[in-house]
Amino acid sequence: MEIILAVGAVLGALTVAIGAFAAHALKGKFAEERYEQTFETGVRYQMYHSLAILSVGLVMRVVGELQILEVAAYLMLAGIVLFSGSLYVLSVTGIRKLGAITPIGGVCFIAGWICVAVGVL
């Protein structure tokens, strides 16, 4: 549970750093102008799920260290890597094939949320 809380906190900090880096160092360096919004979508979903991972850790403190909640946190972590990560790389490089990875990350997010629902029930 402590590891999950720490992972959520570190991911939250990393999200702020990535967002700030993009706002300053990457301004005007995106593969195409429209990819700036794609990058911002990755940052937004990373922050949502960093907070969700923290929430899962806190829920585990209340209901106990249920394995399904641990699975939920790891699915959300995988979602961040696959969904947000693919959007970051796509935005900067313009490699469109990376867009095929993004939905896999989205499925990880959905599965993580379902695991949270099952865990708290």
Side-chain angles (χ1 to χ4, degrees), residues 24-90:
H24 300 289
L26 294 181
K27 202 67 165 169
K29 298 193 185 202
F30 289 98
E32 295 178 29
E33 188 174 312
R34 66 186 172 97
Y35 283 145
E36 188 170 351
Q37 287 183 325
T38 301
F39 194 93
E40 289 173 3
T41 299
V43 171
R44 188 172 49 255
Y45 274 75
Q46 181 173 340
M47 183 55 85
Y48 293 157
H49 290 87
S50 298
L51 294 171
I53 291 169
L54 276 171
S55 298
V56 168
L58 293 173
V59 168
M60 290 173 76
R61 285 193 170 207
V62 174
V63 301
E65 294 189 32
L66 300 175
Q67 186 174 14
I68 193 149
L69 292 176
E70 188 174 335
V71 169
Y74 288 120
L75 282 166
M76 290 181 186
L77 174 59
I80 288 170
V81 170
L82 296 171
F83 183 89
S84 295
S86 66
L87 291 180
Y88 297 152
V89 177
L90 170 67

Side-chain angles (χ1 to χ4, degrees), residues 73-121:
Y74 288 120
L75 282 166
M76 290 181 186
L77 174 59
I80 288 170
V81 170
L82 296 171
F83 183 89
S84 295
S86 66
L87 291 180
Y88 297 152
V89 177
L90 170 67
S91 298
V92 176
T93 67
I95 300 172
R96 295 178 192 265
K97 290 181 182 180
L98 291 171
I101 296 170
T102 309
I104 298 168
V107 169
C108 289
F109 286 148
I110 293 166
W113 284 108
I114 290 169
C115 288
V116 171
V118 171
V120 297
L121 291 175

